[in-house]
């Protein structure tokens, strides 16, 4: 069972900061729909990310790039309706903020107004500083994202570990401090060396959330479909599966098919 603090009635960005200050690890997961978001929230997760990974696990795309702002708002609205406790953060999708700070502000405001979410997340460092500052200036909380940034996959050409070389590691450190300085309330560190995660996390006042970044981030996040074993093709080293729902669901559905074929469902008790 979860050991979350029942005294926390509603998690806010302030709550997330307090957890770091106390040295208490922050639990985070993705969610994209009402039913799973209810379970994630009830279990005590502090931060729910409505990730653009919905493009992969919900729509079957190879990358996160195809998902649109309208689709992100749809998923975020579904999650917000389910959540009573967790902080809900929504990814700004590819193309909605990178090149134009005015477009970034419009995108962020649409997400906040139309979904009821609590914050947005944006991938990148110095190259998107203007957009981040513009969004923050409107009072929208922003979470940063450094390391492996999936929206830039065609630039990198691979999902390999980032920032192993000194120059890229130093840029990540510089970008992390810039994100803190402009006012981001936290940042995701994805698929970087554990030693770098520790260095960045210890040097920042704001919390870090790791994925494939070792144990020394202030919190951890996984894609909920991966954690539950709903998806079974994705098998990176950092993923720990806590269930095998793909097998459970497949076997249950196959049992249903057998019962229908055998005229065993519905039986007399299941008919009116």
């Amino acid at each position: 069972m979860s050991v979350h603090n029942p005294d926390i009635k509603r998690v806010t960005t302030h709550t997330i900061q307090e957890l770091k200050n106390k040295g208490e690890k922050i639990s985070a997961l993705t969610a994209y729909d009402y039913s799973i978001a209810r379970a994630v929230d009830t279990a005590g997760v502090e931060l729910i990310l409505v990730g653009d990974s919905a493009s992969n696990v919900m729509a079957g795309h190879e990358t996160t790039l195809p998902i649109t702002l309208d689709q992100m708002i749809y998923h975020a609205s579904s999650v917000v309706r389910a959540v009573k406790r967790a902080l809900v953060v929504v990814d700004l999708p590819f193309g909605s903020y990178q090149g134009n700070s005015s477009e970034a502000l419009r995108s962020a405001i649409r997400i906040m107004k139309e979904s009821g979410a609590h914050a947005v997340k944006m991938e990148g460092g110095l190259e998107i500083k203007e957009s981040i500052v513009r969004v923050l200036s409107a009072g929208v909380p922003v979470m940063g994202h450094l390391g492996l940034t999936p929206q830039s996959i065609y630039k990198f050409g691979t999902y390999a570990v980032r920032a192993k070389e000194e120059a890229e590691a130093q840029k990540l450190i510089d970008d992390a401090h810039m994100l803190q300085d402009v006012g981001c309330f936290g940042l995701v560190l994805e698929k970087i060396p554990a030693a770098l995660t520790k260095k960045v996390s210890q040097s920042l006042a704001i919390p870090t959330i790791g994925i494939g970044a070792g144990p020394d981030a202030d919190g951890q996040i996984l894609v909920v479909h991966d954690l539950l074993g709903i998806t079974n093709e994705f098998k990176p080293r950092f993923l720990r599966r806590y269930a095998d729902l793909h097998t459970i669901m497949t076997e249950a559905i196959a049992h249903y098919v057998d019962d229908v074929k055998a005229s065993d469902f519905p039986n007399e008790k299941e008919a009116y």
Side-chain angles (χ1 to χ4, degrees):
M1 295 295 293
S2 171
V3 293
H4 75 274
N5 186 346
D7 295 330
I8 299 175
K9 303 304 181 185
R10 170 65 83 174
V11 179
T12 67
T13 56
H14 179 68
T15 313
I16 298 297
Q17 183 64 56
E18 285 186 323
L19 291 174
K20 174 175 172 104
N21 294 345
K22 293 189 297 183
E24 180 178 338
K25 294 289 188 178
I26 301 158
S27 61
L29 279 174
T30 66
Y32 317 100
D33 65 82
Y34 179 86
S35 298
I36 288 184
R38 280 194 71 184
V40 172
D41 188 50
T42 302
V45 167
E46 283 97 17
L47 187 152
I48 294 177
L49 173 66
V50 184
D52 57 5
S53 45
S55 180
N56 310 109
V57 299
M58 300 298 286
H61 292 296
E62 184 179 354
T63 72
T64 63
L65 274 61
I67 200 164
T68 66
L69 182 61
D70 285 341
Q71 289 167 334
M72 288 301 302
I73 290 170
Y74 166 80
H75 287 295
S77 300
S78 302
V79 169
V80 168
R81 283 192 288 271
V83 169
K84 302 193 183 310
R85 180 177 180 273
L87 179 74
V88 179
V89 181
V90 182
D91 270 334
L92 284 181
F94 177 73
S96 67
Y97 65 93
Q98 286 92 341
N100 184 306
S101 63
S102 296
E103 181 68 19
L105 181 58
R106 283 192 293 271
S107 300
I109 288 175
R110 279 200 63 199
I111 283 177
M112 300 295 283
K113 285 175 68 70
E114 296 178 36
S115 77
H118 311 132
V120 300
K121 181 168 76 64
M122 302 166 71
E123 292 184 9
L126 186 61
E127 59 275 12
I128 62 161
K129 178 180 179 180
E130 183 180 343
S131 290
I132 293 172
V133 170
R134 189 74 177 270
V135 172
L136 286 165
S137 71
V140 177
V142 174
M143 176 170 247
H145 184 148
L146 298 173
L148 176 64
T149 48
Q151 290 180 8
S152 303
I153 185 56
Y154 289 127
K155 172 185 174 183
F156 294 142
T158 174
Y159 286 103
V161 175
R162 305 302 311 172
K164 293 199 294 185
E165 303 299 326
E166 184 177 349
E168 188 178 356
Q170 186 58 54
K171 182 183 186 311
L172 187 145
I173 293 169
D174 293 343
D175 281 342
H177 282 272
M178 181 276 293
L179 292 172
Q180 174 176 268
D181 292 346
V182 299
C184 289
F185 73 88
L187 69 150
V188 170
L189 297 173
E190 181 168 358
K191 214 166 182 184
I192 64 172
L196 180 58
T197 298
K198 184 175 183 178
K199 182 176 182 179
V200 171
S201 300
Q202 290 180 345
S203 69
L204 292 177
I206 61 173
T208 60
I209 307 292
I211 177 167
D216 292 309
D218 299 303
Q220 298 292 330
I221 188 167
L222 287 173
V223 171
V224 69
H225 288 65
D226 297 336
L227 175 150
L228 294 174
I230 297 174
T231 55
N232 59 3
E233 303 89 359
F234 186 57
K235 300 176 181 178
R237 181 194 301 184
F238 64 80
L239 173 60
R240 182 181 297 180
R241 295 197 193 280
Y242 286 81
D244 182 11
L245 294 195
H246 182 270
T247 297
I248 292 171
M249 290 189 299
T250 303
E251 290 178 350
I253 294 165
H255 192 181
Y256 163 76
V257 171
D258 290 342
D259 287 351
V260 170
K261 297 292 186 182
S263 297
D264 186 54
F265 176 81
N267 59 29
E268 289 185 5
K269 292 181 179 180
E270 294 159 336
Y272 294 96

